[in-house]
């Protein structure tokens, strides 16, 4: 999949038609054992939103990952899809090592962090966004979009963590800066602090009294995929 920037703010239909917001909120996960799946997704630390049982051969459970605007549902007679057939479900994180450790600390299995082998799409590994040959360890340049870790639920539905710290241009409204959690905000501050240290070194090592403005400009530009301040 190409990460080439594409303009997304141009209308794709008749300009005279009012835009209707479409919020993607639910992914249906096919499972064979509802209670086993509920226990697994609860162990992930996800929020349990609902567990409705009609008592008449229908049950639906909803979970939401931390900081996510999208939830999953599964249950009994919820989908005709085969259990385990949901694959390539991406969870975006700002710190993949921390996200992986959180699952390990909960006693769950997850792969080592890996990155792609220069877009190799043939191989014995499971396919994922950037290929089918996995190289151990995070991306050497720590680029956004390039480091992954994978895990499965008890039915084999496949999930991947993908580390993103800076979006490509056009993916985020530059007029809006939001963070999904305190952890994401703290990670952004740390990256800004590291970059600001380099900035101070370039300017003679003097303390920058306007560091809050510099931090803010850096964090907004990083999230929007714009040119970072130097």
């Amino acid at each position: 999949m190409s990460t080439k920037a594409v303009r997304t703010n141009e209308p794709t239909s008749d300009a005279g038609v009012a835009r209707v917001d479409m919020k993607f909120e639910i992914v249906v996960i096919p499972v064979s054992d509802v209670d086993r799946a509920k226990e697994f997704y609860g162990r992930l630390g996800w929020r349990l939103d609902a567990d409705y049982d009609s008592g008449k051969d229908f049950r639906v459970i909803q979970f939401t990952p931390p900081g996510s605007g999208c939830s999953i549902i599964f249950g009994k007679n919820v989908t005709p899809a085969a259990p385990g057939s949901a694959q390539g479900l991406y969870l975006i994180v700002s710190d993949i090592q921390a996200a992986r450790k959180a699952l390990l600390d909960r006693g769950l299995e997850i792969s080592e962090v890996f990155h792609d082998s220069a877009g190799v799409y043939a191989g014995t590994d499971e396919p994922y966004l950037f290929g089918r040959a996995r190289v151990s360890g995070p991306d050497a340049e720590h680029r956004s979009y390039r480091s992954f870790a994978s895990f499965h639920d008890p039915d084999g539905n496949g999930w991947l963590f993908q580390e993103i710290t800076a979006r490509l241009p056009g993916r985020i409204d530059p007029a809006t800066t939001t963070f999904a959690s305190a952890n994401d905000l703290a990670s952004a501050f740390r990256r800004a602090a590291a970059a600001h240290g380099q900035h101070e070194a370039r300017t003679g090592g003097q303390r920058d009294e306007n560091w809050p403005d510099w931090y803010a400009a850096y964090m907004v530009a990083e999230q929007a995929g714009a040119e970072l301040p130097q």
Side-chain angles (χ1 to χ4, degrees):
M1 177 178 178
S2 172
T3 56
K4 181 180 178 181
V6 177
R7 290 179 64 94
T8 58
N9 58 348
E10 295 180 351
T12 56
S13 59
D14 188 342
V17 178
R19 189 187 78 170
V20 177
D21 287 346
M22 300 180 186
K23 298 178 175 64
F24 186 53
E25 291 196 3
I26 295 292
V27 173
V28 180
I29 308 296
V31 304
S32 59
D33 186 319
V34 179
D35 288 318
R36 182 179 66 175
K38 180 181 179 182
E39 190 273 338
F40 174 83
Y41 286 103
R43 286 176 63 200
L44 289 176
W46 295 8
R47 185 185 71 231
L48 176 63
D49 298 321
D51 183 351
Y52 172 74
D53 190 340
S54 72
K56 298 179 180 179
D57 210 32
F58 175 77
R59 184 181 178 189
V60 61
I61 294 174
Q62 177 173 315
F63 277 97
T64 302
S68 176
C70 184
S71 304
I72 66 164
I73 64 171
F74 55 83
K76 188 174 184 180
N77 287 328
V78 171
T79 173
S85 61
Q87 300 296 321
L89 302 166
Y90 284 77
L91 295 165
I92 304 307
V93 297
S94 61
D95 186 333
I96 198 163
Q97 298 286 13
R100 180 176 181 273
K101 183 178 183 300
L103 261 64
L104 291 173
D105 288 347
R106 294 174 179 273
L108 298 165
E109 294 184 4
I110 183 170
S111 76
E112 296 290 337
V113 175
F114 63 89
H115 63 282
D116 69 296
S117 179
V120 176
Y121 290 92
T124 58
D125 295 333
E126 291 181 73
Y128 64 101
L129 192 59
F130 285 100
R132 194 161 182 162
R134 303 182 176 191
V135 179
S136 181
D139 178 70
E141 300 175 34
H142 295 282
R143 294 172 295 176
S144 279
Y145 299 95
R146 292 291 182 167
S147 296
F148 304 85
S150 63
F151 65 96
H152 297 83
D153 73 7
D155 283 289
N157 294 302
W159 293 89
L160 294 102
F161 285 140
Q162 182 183 24
E163 185 178 76
I164 299 178
T165 56
R167 298 280 180 175
L168 289 170
R171 306 293 177 86
I172 299 290
D173 183 352
T176 304
T177 302
T178 60
F179 296 91
S181 68
N183 286 336
D184 278 359
L185 178 58
S187 294
F189 269 121
R190 292 188 188 99
R191 294 191 299 274
H196 188 258
Q198 297 172 3
H199 164 72
E200 287 186 324
R202 287 191 297 269
T203 57
Q206 298 297 314
R207 173 178 169 78
D208 177 11
E209 297 298 335
N210 291 322
W211 67 265
D213 294 335
W214 199 97
Y215 273 41
Y218 185 94
M219 293 163 69
V220 170
E222 181 187 58
Q223 192 172 84
E227 183 177 354
L228 298 174
Q230 298 297 314

